[in-house]
Amino acid sequence: MLAVRSAMTAAAGAAVLSFMVLTAAGAAPGQTVSSMDIQEEVSKENFISTQATAPIRLSERLISQEGQQLVGNTLTKSVEDRQKLRETQREKVREAQKAISEIEEERSRQAKEAAAAAEAEKHRSVVVPCSEEDYRVLTRIVQAEAGGCDMKGKILVANVVLNRVKAGEFPDSITDVVYQKSQFSPVKNGSINTCSVSRQTMEAVDRALAGEDYSQGALYFMNRSASYSGNVRWFDGQLTYLFQHDGHEFYR
């Protein structure tokens, strides 16, 4: 009895399934549908399902692409912002360096001016006017004429030059006195331009300009052993001998 019921149930289920397939396939009741038709119908259903889900997948891809683009744009902007920040910082550094350079240049200029003023004050003459060029010429003629002499010998040569500036028969500036024609042999032979002025010579010139004077008013000097005989005769015959110091004879 149970077996009969099971068979009946199975038959009923098969009939229902057959009806559903026929209905889905568009067949009228009682119309025969082949397995090929059933497969075709199933394929159609699968195609419809695929077509229905395709827009969803496309939408998901678009959303993913937009998200990636948004992230990319955000990263790009972040990089650009950092670059702008670094450029701003570099510009500030450049401005600071420029300001420091300008300050250092100004300090250097002020230091040079102060040094020049101090040097001018050190070389300030209480005897005769003395420009920077005059000072340079005076130190060179003293070095060329008395570089091997002691301090007093150097001061004496400077004294003679300064005495001439003050005297009426000679030019009225140190440079013009030194470069007066046929007066100083270092000018004639060029050694005034090639000698190296020592610190002792500069000190001697400074002391002479400050008023230290041992010359007794001498306007001439000569080294007898190194002078031409004609010059020696002129000195002895035309000038008044005053004294000798360190190889030089001084006259007025």
Side-chain angles (χ1 to χ4, degrees):
M1 187 68 174
L2 181 58
V4 173
R5 288 181 179 175
S6 296
M8 292 176 63
T9 301
V16 171
L17 178 60
S18 177
F19 176 77
M20 291 175 61
V21 171
L22 290 173
T23 303
Q31 183 178 353
T32 302
V33 178
S34 67
S35 61
M36 185 69 70
D37 292 333
I38 294 174
Q39 291 178 357
E40 183 180 354
E41 191 63 31
V42 171
S43 297
K44 290 180 180 180
E45 291 294 331
N46 290 338
F47 174 76
I48 293 172
S49 176
T50 300
Q51 292 298 104
T53 58
I56 296 174
R57 295 194 190 96
L58 179 59
S59 177
E60 290 175 348
R61 283 198 298 272
L62 290 174
I63 292 173
S64 177
Q65 291 174 356
E66 290 176 355
Q68 292 175 357
Q69 184 176 1
L70 178 60
V71 172
N73 291 340
T74 301
L75 291 175
T76 300
K77 187 175 185 303
S78 178
V79 170
E80 290 175 351
D81 289 344
R82 286 198 296 271
Q83 289 175 342
K84 289 179 180 179
L85 178 60
R86 283 196 294 268
E87 182 59 32
T88 299
Q89 292 172 339
R90 283 194 291 265
E91 182 63 26
K92 289 182 178 179
V93 170
R94 286 192 292 267
E95 291 177 355
Q97 290 174 338
K98 182 180 179 182
I100 292 172
S101 178
E102 290 175 350
I103 292 173
E104 290 177 347
E105 289 178 359
E106 178 62 20
R107 287 178 177 174
S108 177
R109 185 188 65 79
Q110 292 177 355
K112 288 179 180 179
E113 289 181 353
E119 191 71 10
E121 179 62 24
K122 184 176 70 173
H123 302 323
R124 185 173 61 86
S125 174
V126 298
V127 181
V128 298
C130 181
S131 67
E132 286 297 314
E133 179 62 14
D134 289 331
Y135 182 81
R136 187 188 70 82
V137 169
L138 184 57
T139 56
R140 284 192 167 277
I141 195 61
V142 171
Q143 181 68 44
E145 289 280 13
C149 298
D150 60 13
M151 178 64 75
K152 184 177 180 180
K154 290 180 173 66
I155 293 174
L156 277 167
V157 170
N159 290 154
V160 169
V161 174
L162 299 178
N163 290 343
R164 287 192 178 193
V165 174
K166 292 183 291 183
E169 65 266 35
F170 294 96
D172 58 2
S173 74
I174 292 173
T175 299
D176 290 343
V177 163
V178 171
Y179 283 97
Q180 187 178 12
K181 186 177 179 180
S182 302
Q183 295 300 306
F184 295 94
S185 57
V187 174
K188 185 177 181 180
N189 63 32
S191 61
I192 189 174
N193 300 315
T194 58
C195 64
S196 297
V197 179
S198 68
R199 295 187 64 84
Q200 186 184 57
T201 295
M202 288 190 288
E203 181 183 348
V205 169
D206 291 340
R207 288 167 64 172
L209 288 171
E212 190 169 341
D213 187 355
Y214 305 103
S215 69
Q216 301 176 28
L219 295 173
Y220 300 88
F221 65 89
M222 74 166 177
N223 183 333
R224 184 173 293 271
S225 63
S227 299
Y228 294 113
S229 58
N231 290 338
V232 172
R233 286 194 299 272
W234 185 84
F235 270 77
D236 290 338
Q238 301 296 322
L239 302 176
T240 301
Y241 175 81
L242 296 175
F243 61 90
Q244 179 178 345
H245 179 83
D246 206 4
H248 284 138
E249 298 176 16
F250 292 84
Y251 296 79
R252 184 173 52 211

